[in-house]
Amino acid sequence: MMRKEWTANEIDLIAQQSESGFRFLQQLNSDERAKLMHLIADEIEVLDEALIEVAEQETALALGRLQGEKARTVNQWRRYANAVKTGLYSEARLDVSEDGQMDLRKYNKGLGPVVVFGASNFPFAFSTAGGDTASAIGAGCSVIVKAHPGHVYTSQMMAEKIHRALEKYGAPKDVFTHVIGDSFELGQRLVQHPLIKAVAFTGSFKGGKALFDLGQTRPDPIPVFAEMGSVNPVFALPDFMTQHAETFAKQYVSSLVLGTGQFCTNPGILIALAGQDLQLFKEGLKSELSEIPPTKMLHAGILANFQQLATEVTQQEGVQLIAKGKGTDQTELAQAAIYETSSTYFLNNPKLAEEVFGPFGLIVSCSNKQELLTVLNAFGGQLTITFSATEQDIESQQELFQLAQEKCGRLLFQGMPTGVEVQYAIQHGGPFPATTDTRFTSVGPDAVKRFLRPVSFQNWPNTFLPDELKNENPLQIDRLVNQQWSKNKIIK
Ligand code: NAP
């Protein structure tokens, strides 16, 4: 199944075919695209245990987790389809002058063919038929998926299902293209192809940033929406710690080791004030972690990465071991571990703020409240920041709370950041380096917005307008009769 090399001509052909798939989707209105998306959901839903078995073999993820993720993926298509159907993302606008001489209408249309790089840690929900593909098709964009090498067969099975749904709908297969290659070159050349208009990526900072730079340095730059992970700081504040130090240890450990720590929302760094409560919390961590068996990671490369990064962090000055899980640290299984450092060492060593993708935690102890703020200030953009806090804590830490809003996409009051709801009000994104565009989310129906651009129509006869803008369209959301028309005109 693996392709060694792709010629420039072959890549050009793929891009051209995808462009023709885009043209087809552009003829469909929101309602028709929603129908197609529901058909894709139906096809994926009937994939049976054979798919789960293949995914299990390729990713080493637990059966229950895979079944849940597959269900979530189907749900994602349906939710996004329903959102698209409402016309919400068309954002249709209509301005008519008092004398009827000027008629301006605007709506959002798809950007063009989108290249999607699937994530290794979500073979269904963030890969071939995952949220990026669903939101791009919802926006009316054709998709080229560059299969993740960690689950090529799973990817192929999902791609076949999408193609079957396209056939049932009567859509050309070029609406969705699945490509497999064993070097970075294929993906890089696709990102650079002039017919490609946007890119979606979930994975490492190195990969996401490399593809983002490629997108920006094209003669015609394009948006590259890369989600590149986070350390998801957890601020365990004093009043909360006094009340919950011991029970909180259990909650923190279960989130840290969930899915062998292979979640972009893994709570990798916890910040707390030094003292008796932190001591109690660390005792709790020790006993909780001692029960955690070593587990298999997604693939050998991720394990090697984990072991290397964890070793690098633990070898830094001022870093001490707090607790380890069962097993040893140099096997084919990942051993969970939690270390500690002080705010002084942390603030003087950027290495300590880097993500260690896997079941690895670092506690940063601070000697006073001001240091909590200094530590938060040292972090780059994050997907999430959690306040393990009481209301009293927040009242006395307003500055910390305000600054956190500048630093992340999702702020949690208590609870743990792992587990991302596929809802309208979710924000799965954050300031760089968590993502390359903090204005957008890659989870929830609003993910569709990434692949749209506004177009205005001035004085066009009704027949030629897109369905979303026609007079008779009930989806039209704003009909503004502009009383100040002439005053608002500018010459540009
Ligand atoms: P990755 O190495 O970033 O790869 C993801 C995809 O991007 C793969 O298809 C890969 O191509 C492609 N890619 C990466 N660098 C590229 C480049 N310079 N040019 C062109 N294509 C490139 O991610 P991964 O394999 O899933 O995991 C590796 C590490 O990523 C993990 O250890 C972890 O640190 C991090 N990670 C983060 C998240 C997150 O939540 N953001 C999720 C998963 C992993 P190939 O197919 O050719 O390899």
Side-chain angles (χ1 to χ4, degrees):
M1 196 179 284
M2 298 295 272
R3 286 286 310 258
K4 285 287 174 208
E5 274 178 29
W6 289 80
T7 65
N9 282 348
E10 283 173 317
I11 291 172
D12 192 39
L13 187 65
I14 289 170
Q16 281 182 34
Q17 288 169 338
S18 189
E19 158 79 7
S20 93
F22 170 66
R23 296 274 152 241
F24 172 83
L25 282 179
Q26 285 303 291
Q27 292 161 20
L28 305 186
N29 61 30
S30 314
D31 203 22
E32 291 161 339
R33 290 203 302 280
K35 264 187 212 139
L36 170 60
M37 293 167 80
H38 275 293
L39 273 181
I40 295 175
D42 294 347
E43 282 296 324
I44 297 171
E45 190 166 39
V46 298
L47 267 170
D48 52 17
E49 288 308 304
L51 167 82
I52 304 287
E53 272 170 33
V54 170
E56 192 190 13
Q57 278 163 21
E58 288 192 305
T59 64
L61 290 171
L63 212 67
R65 148 80 201 270
L66 288 168
Q67 282 158 341
E69 194 187 318
K70 188 201 135 191
R72 172 189 159 164
T73 306
V74 171
N75 184 42
Q76 230 167 217
W77 279 94
R78 296 203 170 124
R79 288 218 68 158
Y80 293 12
N82 293 341
V84 165
K85 188 178 159 74
T86 64
L88 187 64
Y89 299 115
S90 299
E91 293 187 337
R93 302 276 187 269
L94 165 57
D95 279 299
V96 187
S97 65
E98 283 162 294
D99 59 7
Q101 292 298 302
M102 185 62 93
D103 178 302
L104 257 184
R105 294 164 195 237
K106 181 168 79 168
Y107 90 131
N108 291 330
K109 77 188 286 298
L111 283 173
V114 174
V115 173
V116 170
F117 290 83
S120 55
N121 55 341
F122 281 96
F124 302 138
F126 275 94
S127 200
T128 317
D132 287 335
T133 300
S135 48
I137 289 184
C141 296
S142 54
V143 170
I144 302 174
V145 163
K146 151 75 181 65
H148 195 287
H151 52 258
V152 173
Y153 288 94
T154 307
S155 191
Q156 187 74 33
M157 288 172 92
M158 298 304 266
E160 280 164 16
K161 283 296 181 181
I162 296 179
H163 278 138
R164 195 163 307 165
L166 290 173
E167 199 179 322
K168 278 189 180 166
Y169 186 88
K173 66 175 185 10
D174 299 331
V175 164
F176 175 84
T177 311
H178 185 245
V179 291
I180 302 166
D182 65 352
S183 79
F184 287 166
E185 203 186 345
L186 170 62
Q188 291 175 349
R189 285 163 82 170
L190 282 169
V191 172
Q192 288 172 305
H193 196 282
L195 290 175
I196 300 304
K197 297 300 177 207
V199 177
F201 168 96
T202 307
S204 65
F205 174 78
K206 214 168 145 196
K209 181 65 167 53
L211 294 170
F212 174 77
D213 289 344
L214 275 185
Q216 297 308 292
T217 50
R218 290 167 38 132
D220 56 335
I222 54 168
V224 176
F225 300 103
E227 194 264 85
M228 304 174 291
S230 238
V231 293
N232 302 292
V234 175
F235 283 83
L237 298 186
D239 189 41
F240 178 89
M241 285 296 262
T242 304
Q243 294 181 34
H244 306 290
E246 268 177 300
T247 48
F248 180 48
K250 189 180 178 69
Q251 191 187 20
Y252 179 70
V253 167
S254 44
S255 178
L256 189 76
V257 304
L258 190 69
T260 318
Q262 301 166 116
F263 288 114
C264 43
T265 51
N266 187 262
I269 297 186
L270 183 139
I271 307 100
L273 292 185
Q276 223 179 352
D277 294 332
L278 182 57
Q279 199 50 43
L280 210 59
F281 175 66
K282 290 193 290 191
E283 293 304 320
L285 294 180
K286 242 182 237 169
S287 98
E288 290 299 329
L289 215 58
S290 67
E291 299 299 315
I292 302 294
T295 40
K296 206 165 172 190
M297 295 195 85
L298 286 158
H299 57 75
I302 287 201
L303 176 72
N305 220 9
F306 166 68
Q307 288 172 338
Q308 189 194 324
L309 288 176
T311 306
E312 278 171 26
V313 170
T314 57
Q315 284 172 350
Q316 303 297 306
E317 202 186 348
V319 175
Q320 291 130 25
L321 177 68
I322 297 295
K324 274 202 169 183
K326 289 181 176 164
T328 59
D329 55 5
Q330 292 298 331
T331 63
E332 71 286 358
L333 300 177
Q335 183 191 25
I338 299 178
Y339 284 75
E340 183 185 21
T341 192
S342 74
S343 56
T344 314
Y345 283 110
F346 182 79
L347 291 167
N348 286 309
N349 186 353
K351 181 85 202 155
L352 298 180
E354 283 176 17
E355 181 183 17
V356 178
F357 194 71
F360 184 90
L362 181 69
I363 294 172
V364 180
S365 69
C366 297
S367 30
N368 55 53
K369 287 181 178 179
Q370 185 55 38
E371 273 184 20
L372 295 173
L373 198 63
T374 317
V375 168
L376 173 56
N377 208 24
F379 282 111
Q382 301 290 325
L383 292 171
T384 71
I385 293 179
T386 300
F387 281 93
S388 299
T390 61
E391 287 186 35
Q392 186 190 313
D393 281 319
I394 302 296
E395 267 164 33
S396 62
Q397 293 281 321
Q398 275 298 302
E399 234 183 310
L400 196 68
F401 178 47
Q402 296 304 326
L403 180 62
Q405 293 171 49
E406 308 303 319
K407 292 271 181 186
C408 73
R410 179 163 58 108
L411 267 170
L412 289 95
F413 180 74
Q414 302 185 358
M416 281 288 130
T418 40
V420 184
E421 300 291 338
V422 185
Q423 302 289 356
Y424 281 105
I426 196 75
Q427 176 61 17
H428 190 68
F432 186 86
T435 70
T436 49
D437 196 334
T438 188
R439 294 168 300 170
F440 297 95
T441 179
S442 58
V443 176
D446 279 358
V448 172
K449 289 192 206 169
R450 294 173 298 172
F451 306 112
L452 292 166
R453 71 183 177 91
V455 181
S456 256
F457 296 82
Q458 189 167 328
N459 284 344
W460 278 85
N462 193 51
T463 28
F464 299 116
L465 288 168
D467 280 1
E468 286 84 348
L469 293 177
K470 285 192 194 324
N471 288 336
E472 58 274 21
N473 194 331
L475 296 181
Q476 206 168 278
I477 56 172
D478 261 346
R479 189 185 172 92
L480 310 169
V481 176
N482 196 330
Q483 303 295 332
Q484 299 283 316
W485 190 272
S486 53
K487 285 189 197 154
N488 287 337
K489 186 165 184 165
I490 52 163
I491 308 296
K492 215 171 171 206

